[in-house]
């Protein structure tokens, strides 16, 4: 069965430093997608980055990159040059591309950027 | 263009009452998802639609929950005989093409439901 695990309930990072948010997943499918979302205190879920299971290169989007290690089933989010506005909840999600297309989310990591 | 919209933004009801939550997806998005998010948790999948049909409703917790999308656009999540445990934020998301590998969901602001 699909499962997403985020083991860091909370993280702190100094402004301008880089931070890694951990995500591991479990699936028996060969084809799947991995996603990261940001949820500020306002509540709206904001899409950050996507990685396909067949993508050979790690995805990057501006200051966000996804450290994809398929054999270890991990998809960690790296935020470079942290900004105060990065303080939020971050969710990792997975969607299998066969059978049901539903998305499964992890429990999230609360990131606090310190000035 | 307009994003996903949800109404109402807040709903307070009494135990046992019936509620309807509305989602207006991004124009042209064929896939629509409903999630429930309790405090401190990630979104929990409820149901998704591809067009007018419910492609997967395995996340609906019981038969008090029902959702429709009669014309393949706006969707309504209906909850009968509400219970205090139904209190949560209900999120709606839509996407352009569910079969696409990089298909990305875009979320609405959510409806905060409080059952007294």
């Amino acid at each position: 069965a699909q499962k997403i695990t985020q083991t860091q309930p909370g993280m702190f990072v100094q402004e301008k430093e880089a931070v890694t948010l951990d995500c591991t997943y479990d699936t028996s499918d060969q084809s799947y997608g991995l996603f990261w979302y940001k949820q500020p205190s306002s509540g709206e879920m904001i899409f950050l980055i996507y990685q396909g299971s067949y993508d050979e290169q790690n995805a990057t989007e501006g200051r966000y990159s996804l450290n994809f290690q398929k054999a270890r089933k991990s998809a960690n989010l790296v935020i470079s040059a942290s900004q105060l506005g990065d303080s939020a909840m971050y969710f990792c999600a997975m969607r299998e591309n066969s059978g049901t297309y539903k998305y499964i989310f992890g429990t999230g990591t609360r990131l606090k950027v310190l000035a | 263009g307009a994003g996903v919209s949800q109404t109402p933004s807040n709903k307070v009801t009494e135990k046992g009452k019936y509620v309807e939550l509305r989602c207006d997806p991004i124009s042209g998005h064929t896939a629509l998802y409903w999630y429930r998010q309790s405090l401190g948790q990630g979104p929990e999948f409820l149901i998704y639609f591809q067009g007018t049909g419910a492609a997967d409703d395995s996340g609906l917790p019981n038969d008090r929950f029902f959702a429709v999308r009669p014309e393949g656009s706006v969707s309504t999540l209906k909850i009968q005989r509400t219970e205090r445990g139904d209190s949560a934020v209900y999120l709606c998301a839509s996407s352009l093409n569910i079969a696409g590998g990089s298909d990305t969901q875009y979320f609405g602001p959510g409806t905060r439901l409080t059952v007294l």
Side-chain angles (χ1 to χ4, degrees):
Chain A
Q2 288 178 285
K3 186 177 180 181
I4 292 282
T5 303
Q6 294 181 255
T7 57
Q8 305 155 315
M11 290 280 287
F12 290 94
V13 64
Q14 204 66 39
E15 195 178 9
K16 300 180 185 177
E17 297 291 315
V19 62
T20 298
L21 306 183
D22 294 343
C23 172
T24 59
Y25 60 92
D26 191 19
T27 179
S28 55
D29 264 30
Q30 296 302 309
S31 177
Y32 49 89
L34 296 157
F35 303 79
W36 278 91
Y37 285 84
K38 172 184 178 181
Q39 189 175 43
S41 56
S42 59
E44 194 152 350
M45 297 282 283
I46 302 167
F47 166 73
L48 295 178
I49 195 167
Y50 161 83
Q51 178 85 40
S53 59
Y54 292 122
D55 294 342
E56 294 185 352
Q57 291 192 327
N58 287 341
T60 60
E61 289 287 349
R63 293 186 299 111
Y64 305 109
S65 60
L66 200 152
N67 183 1
F68 181 46
Q69 297 187 43
K70 193 170 182 177
R72 297 180 62 182
K73 292 189 175 177
S74 75
N76 298 340
L77 177 70
V78 180
I79 305 174
S80 62
S82 297
Q83 301 172 356
L84 296 177
D86 294 335
S87 295
M89 282 290 288
Y90 288 81
F91 292 98
C92 180
M94 177 175 66
R95 187 197 67 186
E96 293 173 340
N97 292 333
S98 64
T100 181
Y101 289 108
K102 69 184 183 186
Y103 290 71
I104 299 297
F105 284 77
T107 53
T109 295
R110 182 172 297 281
L111 177 67
K112 176 71 174 176
V113 180
L114 305 174
Chain B
V4 179
S5 62
Q6 292 186 246
T7 54
S9 55
N10 279 285
K11 177 69 178 178
V12 180
T13 190
E14 293 180 344
K15 181 174 176 290
K17 298 291 189 183
Y18 168 83
V19 296
E20 289 189 352
L21 311 179
R22 175 188 167 107
C23 172
D24 207 333
I26 293 172
S27 178
H29 280 195
T30 58
L32 185 147
Y33 302 78
W34 282 101
Y35 296 87
R36 179 169 68 178
Q37 187 175 26
S38 300
L39 195 61
Q41 300 295 315
E44 173 194 6
F45 169 81
L46 296 177
I47 184 172
Y48 82 72
F49 291 87
Q50 179 61 22
T52 60
D56 187 335
D57 64 359
S58 62
L60 294 177
N62 51 60
D63 61 6
R64 295 186 297 105
F65 288 75
F66 189 70
V68 296
R69 194 186 185 198
E71 297 179 357
S73 179
V74 171
S75 176
T76 305
L77 178 66
K78 308 180 181 192
I79 310 174
Q80 298 177 317
R81 306 183 303 280
T82 51
E83 300 177 356
R84 293 195 178 88
D86 299 335
S87 296
V89 175
Y90 289 80
L91 295 169
C92 177
S94 69
S95 69
L96 187 60
N97 176 4
I98 195 171
S102 61
D103 185 52
T104 299
Q105 298 179 99
Y106 295 90
F107 282 81
T111 293
R112 182 175 299 277
L113 175 66
T114 303
V115 182
L116 300 176

